[in-house]
Amino acid sequence: MSAVELRGFGWRHAGRRAWAVRDVDLRVEHGERVLLLGASGAGKSTLLAALGGLLAEDSGEQEGTVEIDGLDPRKARERVGIVFQDPETQLVMARAGDDVAFGLENRGVPAAEIWPRVELALRRVGFPYGLDRSTAALSGGEQQRLALAGVLALRPGLLLLDEPTANLDPAGASLVRDAVDAAMDDDTTLILVEHRVSEALPLVDRVVVLEPGGGVRADGHPEAVFAAHGPALAAAGVWVPGPPPASRRAVAPAGDVLLTAERLGLAPRLAPTDLRVRAGEALAVLGPNGTGKSTLALLLGGLLRPGAGRLSATEALAGRYARTAPHRWRAPVLAGRIGSVFQDPEHQFVSNTVFDELALGPRRTGQPEATVKSTVDGLLDRLRLDQLAGANPYTLSGGQARRLSVATALATAPRLVILDEPTFGQDRRTWIELVDLLAGLRDAGHGIVTVTHDIDFVSALADRTVSLDDRSAAHDDVPAGWAG
């Protein structure tokens, strides 16, 4: 049994003025399957962390109570399994099999049972490698499957999933949903945060919507909630079932070539790949997990030294540096020409405040402080981060951290922007605003490259797609055309 009870629950992170979540009264009976929704910043991840017993008393301020089967969650951790937004944070061992076995060993599971349960959990999530696979060699989506396997192997009474399919290709996402469904019995309680609402609905029997200002906005059977509140929730930024937002096609044909990749590769992560990146074009890089999409993004961004082939920049992008490979450019030169957004936003944060993180690039390129402030203030407002200027980047929600990482890439106004899973963690409103922002950059002549599994995002923005297959070879698709 794993019944959940919250009475007037709230949490404020240390050093923050605003409450991450507040005034939540909620009871979830054991065996219920709940889809937890809310606009970005409503406190969904914080609530899951509280239920997982992961909010240390000295890391913030709590109001009200939260209990699992009548116990403080910090004393009920063995009843709970949680998969975070960032799976890398819960991988602890060097080999995949050992990572899944780690929790079982800590729980004192008999040795004879451990490896059969490890192998079953890995099969359930469609993990494509053997037990000895290095966890450091996994893509973000593969890490997500492994983290889920580690939790499913524990057979928790309460399963907490924070966007478990966010960085997975469609086939992998389907495998994970099937694995969750198959792993649960009638007494397993599920609380799921997921932006792919339509795909998640078969897993749940109840929807709870958190209000960003505090409290619960809607609660009930999915059909009843969306029938009564669907349009209002969508207007407030909550994802609801229905057609995707309208597309933003290019207003002019693509311009000059900015980058050319010739047999560009990095074994064993990316096989030799040919590719051209153009100004005034939004290019989407697609393909299954593990085919090298993130590696390609890092190579195109000049952040990795190629292991094979060549990446060359044209004068349209590099000016007098055109004869030098991008990975050899000095940091200020690179930052002023190519902006990169990593799959894990925290990997690129180096400052103590959101403002200073955004100011870093413009300051590095020698802009006057007045210009720096104007640039930062504009990005904070445009990406709905203005109330967080003084916050530590590492205390942001997943969606807020993603928007900050996008803003840092745009702060120097680079001619080319490369983004790895840019829509991760975004609510409906910020998703639309991000599409509009990138479409405006493209139409102003900037090159846009996105690595993504978000098919709606591809439909809304991409002018051309490149697919990496299981051998990591790139294939250019026919351009999608332009609205001119």
Side-chain angles (χ1 to χ4, degrees), residues 137-314:
L138 300 177
S139 70
E142 291 164 347
Q143 290 175 347
Q144 216 157 7
R145 291 195 216 179
L146 181 60
L148 178 61
V151 169
L152 293 180
L154 298 173
R155 300 172 184 169
L158 172 61
L159 182 59
L160 308 172
L161 303 178
D162 197 349
E163 297 204 54
T165 67
N167 289 330
L168 295 177
D169 58 74
S174 180
L175 277 172
V176 166
R177 287 191 293 269
D178 291 345
V180 171
D181 194 33
M184 296 179 57
D185 56 35
D186 292 341
D187 286 333
T188 303
T189 306
L190 172 68
I191 301 181
L192 168 67
V193 173
E194 179 60 84
H195 285 153
R196 296 175 174 176
V197 174
S198 296
E199 291 88 344
L201 286 179
L203 290 175
V204 303
D205 49 38
R206 180 180 174 189
V207 168
V208 173
V209 184
L210 295 183
E211 182 71 25
V216 173
R217 178 167 184 166
D219 182 0
H221 189 274
E223 289 186 5
V225 167
F226 293 127
H229 305 282
L233 291 176
V238 180
W239 286 109
V240 298
S247 63
R248 284 290 308 274
R249 292 299 180 194
V251 298
D256 297 332
V257 173
L258 301 177
L259 284 178
T260 299
E262 299 172 282
R263 306 301 290 165
L264 185 70
L266 185 63
R269 294 157 60 179
L270 177 70
T273 297
D274 297 321
L275 182 67
R276 286 188 176 185
V277 177
R278 297 176 175 87
E281 180 180 63
L283 171 66
V285 179
L286 311 176
N289 290 110
T291 51
K293 300 183 300 298
S294 294
T295 299
L296 177 61
L298 292 172
L299 288 167
L300 295 176
L303 300 172
L304 279 180
R305 179 190 180 96
R310 184 176 70 168
L311 179 69
S312 55
T314 65

Side-chain angles (χ1 to χ4, degrees), residues 303-330:
L303 300 172
L304 279 180
R305 179 190 180 96
R310 184 176 70 168
L311 179 69
S312 55
T314 65
E315 290 189 5
L317 175 65
R320 64 190 178 93
Y321 298 97
R323 294 186 178 183
T324 305
H327 74 275
R328 296 184 181 278
W329 295 351
R330 292 180 296 109

